Every structure is written in structure tokens, then in C-alpha cells.
Amino acid sequence: MVGIGRALVEAVEREAAVRGHGALWADASVPALAMLQRCGFTFVRANSKSLRGVAFDNAWLVKALRS
Ligand SMILES: CC(C)(COP(=O)(O)OP(=O)(O)OC[C@H]1O[C@@H](n2cnc3c(N)ncnc32)[C@H](O)[C@@H]1OP(=O)(O)O)[C@@H](O)C(=O)NCCC(=O)NCCS
């Protein structure tokens, strides 16, 4: 059975491919990193930021799409 995380990634990949995009970028929170890497994303760099006074230790990840 496919989990909701992989199902969401695959749905976005299909839509991105239909639209002709070559890669997907994700601005992901720490709890989602392992799942995204398991789904083929590569860590690019940390992206710590603050929104309305709340700190987030996010990271940028990228996944190339098959053409
Ligand atoms: C993060 C989250 C969206 C992942 O969704 P999920 O449905 O658990 O993920 P899936 O089951 O589709 O996992 C996809 C793959 O990643 C792997 N994976 C998922 N979470 C993992 C983890 N924490 N560590 C290592 N691997 C992980 C799965 O084993 C699976 O591998 P496989 O398909 O090769 O067997 C979900 O756990 C969640 O909503 N967590 C609570 C909220 C949260 O952390 N949100 C993050 C954004 S704020």
C-alpha cells in the first residue's frame, strides 16, 4: 500500500511532467526530509527562516524529472 506522502509526491510529479517541468523543488520541514529523500529528492541546503515570529528549520530539496 502506498502512503499518503509518496502518493502526494507522485501526483505532483505527474502534474509537473504534464506541464513540462524538468525538476521539482521542495521547501520542506525537518519531519518530511526523510520521506522526501526516500522519494528521490536530494538535499540542497538548509533554509532556516522565521514567519510571524515562529522559527522554521526547513531545507531545500530537488528532484529531477524524467523527460
Ligand atoms: C511526513 C509525512 C507527510 C510522510 O507521509 P507518509 O504517508 O508517512 O509517507 P509514506 O508512507 O508515503 O512514505 C514514503 C516513503 O518514505 C519513507 N518514510 C516516510 N517517513 C519516513 C521517516 N520518518 N524516515 C525514513 N523513511 C520514511 C517510507 O518508508 C516510504 O518508503 P517506501 O515507499 O520506499 O516504502 C507524514 O509522516 C506526516 O504527515 N507526518 C506528520 C506531520 C509532519 O511531519 N509533516 C511534515 C511537514 S510539516
Side-chain angles (χ1 to χ4, degrees):
M1 191 170 106
V2 177
I4 190 66
R6 185 177 285 282
L8 285 168
V9 167
E10 290 178 353
V12 172
E13 283 180 22
R14 285 193 296 273
E15 183 63 25
V18 166
R19 294 177 184 222
H21 296 294
L24 287 178
W25 286 82
D27 179 3
S29 59
V30 169
L33 292 183
M35 183 274 291
L36 289 171
Q37 289 173 309
R38 182 75 181 164
C39 290
F41 282 78
T42 301
F43 176 88
V44 176
R45 63 175 172 83
N47 183 32
S48 298
K49 58 190 176 184
S50 176
L51 294 176
R52 298 191 185 113
V54 179
F56 292 89
D57 289 322
N58 278 22
W60 281 110
L61 299 97
V62 67
K63 179 176 183 177
L65 300 176
R66 289 186 295 273
S67 55

